[in-house]
Amino acid sequence: MIRVIDTEGDCAAWTFPADPGTVRAARSAVRDRLRDWGLDSVGDLTALLVSELVTNALRYATGPVGVRLVRPSDLDGVLLVEVSDRLPDFPHERVARPDDEGGRGLQLLDSASRRWGARPGDEGKTVWFELAVP
């Protein structure tokens, strides 16, 4: 079951269960919210990056995955995206070989976002990134 945590103003947050349909559900929720906000221009990129982070959360952590979108009122032209899980270990960027099946998600995040990082939470961590928006 997907649970919407907060949809007030320029913030939306969801909690998704740790199951295979979560990546698709997160992409869809993010695209729908960005469409509602008139930010279709960053919908595909945001959904792609959310997919990468949610996939990592499902692969390495246990329990639910949180996704949060924020349009900070004090930062014009910025979309903040956060993905939270219960694993306290921070992600590590690595260089994938050409024939590796994985290992490119954080490289993609690094090259496509304005900036990104991770911070500890009460339980686990939050990986975040910022995108420039019109």
Side-chain angles (χ1 to χ4, degrees):
M1 176 178 170
I2 300 167
R3 183 171 64 101
V4 177
I5 298 171
D6 180 12
T7 56
E8 292 296 322
D10 289 345
C11 177
W14 305 266
T15 299
F16 298 95
D19 67 47
T22 288
V23 176
R24 184 186 52 203
R27 274 195 312 262
S28 179
V30 164
R31 278 195 179 110
D32 289 348
R33 178 58 55 177
L34 292 176
R35 189 176 310 112
D36 291 346
W37 287 347
L39 296 176
D40 284 332
S41 62
V42 296
D44 288 341
L45 177 58
T46 307
L48 173 65
L49 297 177
V50 164
S51 292
E52 291 293 334
L53 294 178
V54 170
T55 298
N56 284 349
L58 293 173
R59 181 174 291 144
Y60 301 111
T62 60
V65 177
V67 176
R68 186 170 180 249
L69 304 176
V70 180
R71 294 175 66 187
S73 58
D74 59 339
L75 295 173
D76 195 32
V78 172
L79 175 68
L80 172 64
V81 182
E82 301 174 333
V83 176
S84 302
D85 63 53
R86 292 191 175 163
L87 184 70
D89 302 336
F90 284 14
H92 296 285
E93 192 173 346
R94 67 180 180 92
V95 177
R97 294 184 310 249
D99 57 344
D100 285 348
E101 291 292 322
R104 293 175 183 82
L106 293 178
Q107 290 176 336
L108 178 63
L109 181 65
D110 189 52
S111 66
S113 65
R114 284 178 28 151
R115 62 186 187 132
W116 72 277
R119 67 176 184 273
D122 293 336
E123 286 186 8
K125 68 174 169 311
T126 297
V127 179
W128 59 269
F129 64 90
E130 291 180 354
L131 296 175
V133 296

